[in-house]
Amino acid sequence: MIEEINQEAVVEGINPFDHGSSYTDIVKTQTLKQELDKHGFTAVFGGGRRDEEKSRAKERIFSFRNKNHAWDPKNQKPEMWKLYNTRINKGESIRVFPLSNWTEKDIWQYIKRENIEIVPLYFAKERPVVYRDG
């Protein structure tokens, strides 16, 4: 695993509070594209699921990108009957989302079946409460 931080963004003080949605593009997306080019990778794995947000609904398990790492939903290869075309054309790259078709229920069932420990921060707990006017 390679971990990279966009140092230019750090120096410029880019943060989600002052820069809104452009923060994600600058800190995550642009950094990922730079690393793909730097190392010559043709594939990268992601943990996104289609049911998490509307923008991921059209993503495929093998999500192809052009030479500029741009995603075109109309230019995706069919994935029928769990058959996948993994041929990468020159200049293309793919983002692989193996959990794309999983639901939240699938995730919890997998955690239970494999007896995976759950981080305690995930659970709600009693917190200090301030009572005002009764």
Side-chain angles (χ1 to χ4, degrees), residues 2-15:
I2 297 172
E3 182 179 343
E4 186 63 39
I5 296 171
N6 184 336
Q7 293 299 331
E8 291 174 11
V10 172
V11 170
E12 291 178 30
I14 304 294
N15 65 73

Side-chain angles (χ1 to χ4, degrees), residues 45-101:
F45 285 89
R49 300 188 336 261
R50 287 185 184 144
D51 69 347
E52 287 182 310
E53 63 179 71
K54 188 177 177 182
S55 67
R56 293 184 178 161
K58 293 182 181 177
E59 285 278 8
R60 304 280 171 90
I61 292 175
F62 289 94
S63 185
F64 288 80
R65 304 299 205 265
N66 65 22
K67 65 180 180 177
N68 298 316
H69 306 291
W71 180 70
D72 178 5
K74 294 179 182 175
N75 197 22
Q76 299 301 306
K77 299 174 183 177
E79 294 182 343
M80 299 178 289
W81 309 293
K82 296 186 179 181
L83 297 173
Y84 306 105
N85 181 348
T86 60
R87 183 174 292 126
I88 302 171
N89 296 319
K90 187 173 176 101
E92 284 183 336
S93 63
I94 59 173
R95 303 215 181 138
V96 183
F97 298 100
L99 305 180
S100 180
N101 292 333

Side-chain angles (χ1 to χ4, degrees), residues 14-30 53 55:
I14 304 294
N15 65 73
F17 306 107
D18 298 326
H19 299 87
S21 61
S22 63
Y23 169 81
T24 299
D25 180 62
I26 295 167
V27 174
K28 294 181 179 181
T29 307
Q30 296 308 318
E53 63 179 71
S55 67

